[in-house]
Amino acid sequence: MLKGQVDFVARVLDTGITFTPIHFKPPVAGVGSATVEMRGIEELSGTVRISLVANAVDGMSLARIVIESAFNRLAFFHGLAIEPARVTGSNFSPTNPQPDNYVYPGAGYINITGYAPKVTIGVSSATIQSELEQPELPGEVNFGYIRSARLSVGPVEEFMHLYGILLIFFNDKQKNVDRFVVSIESSVQQTRVPRSTNGTLETVYTRLRNEFAHKREGTVLEITKLEMSKHLAGLRTIVQQAISQYS
């Protein structure tokens, strides 16, 4: 049986937060502890300390599960756009070393530096530690949806990605999406659907999605794109609620 450590790094895009190193105990058998840390504002590092695994391959796999779960939670709760984690170093050794035992090496270490100044907001270490140490959370199996959407190229792509997630949860029916949106954001802007004969309304999120995806008379695409940027934060919140309630 082996113990060991695996180190990761992931690039963070378009982030507005920073935090000090967070040490936490993942609720995963065979893992002793883990640490995540922002390096500057464009890089997130993580270390997973394995307490007991059968072999190095299992240890690497377990460490990746732990770190990706942690990064998914950070993306879900704090809106971080986190790229897939890369292994920067690893080593394993017997839990009960005997003479002539040796360390099982993994990947070598690398350093990636450099970032442009940005305005950031500090996040409490206690808050993040609590989020990372909780057992499986409602909807966590789909937290990766938010992380994937945050990696979109620009706000328009992210808006369409997020709306697509809602359609997954509501049987590809916009009226079901809008019903949920109103339940979360009661004051949401609603307008009449063009060509509707019975006065059917659609929320601003559905309107913008349809203006971008379909030909609508009088639509100015650049204005639609600007509105998507304006309403992106609200749509993220709605998708978070859908993931938590319906996964």
Side-chain angles (χ1 to χ4, degrees), residues 36-105:
V36 294
E37 177 181 3
M38 288 293 296
R39 296 178 178 176
I41 55 175
E42 289 191 349
E43 189 173 276
L44 181 62
S45 68
T47 296
V48 180
R49 300 169 191 86
I50 304 297
S51 57
L52 188 67
V53 287
N55 53 63
V57 172
D58 288 351
M60 295 291 289
S61 177
L62 184 60
R64 180 165 291 281
I65 289 171
V66 169
I67 208 66
E68 291 293 2
S69 173
F71 287 0
N72 281 348
R73 289 186 179 194
L74 289 172
F76 185 83
F77 288 116
H78 301 286
L80 295 180
I82 307 170
E83 291 187 344
R86 308 185 304 279
V87 175
T88 59
S90 65
N91 64 76
F92 293 88
S93 60
T95 54
N96 296 303
Q98 302 295 323
D100 299 326
N101 280 148
Y102 62 95
V103 171
Y104 298 75

Side-chain angles (χ1 to χ4, degrees), residues 1 8 22-23 27 51 62 70 100 114 117 143 191 199 212 222 239 243-244:
M1 302 300 287
F8 298 88
I22 311 295
H23 306 283
S51 57
L62 184 60
D100 299 326
F143 279 13
T191 52
F212 188 82
E222 290 307 312
V239 173
I243 288 174
S244 296

Side-chain angles (χ1 to χ4, degrees), residues 184-223:
I184 298 298
E185 188 181 329
S186 60
S187 62
V188 64
Q189 175 189 338
Q190 298 186 69
T191 52
R192 190 175 68 83
V193 176
R195 299 182 180 178
S196 170
T197 59
N198 58 2
T200 302
L201 299 177
E202 62 185 354
T203 67
V204 63
Y205 304 107
T206 295
R207 173 177 65 79
L208 292 172
R209 183 267 180 191
N210 289 333
E211 286 181 357
F212 188 82
H214 305 291
K215 182 178 179 179
R216 281 191 170 181
E217 187 175 349
T219 294
V220 179
L221 196 55
E222 290 307 312
I223 294 177

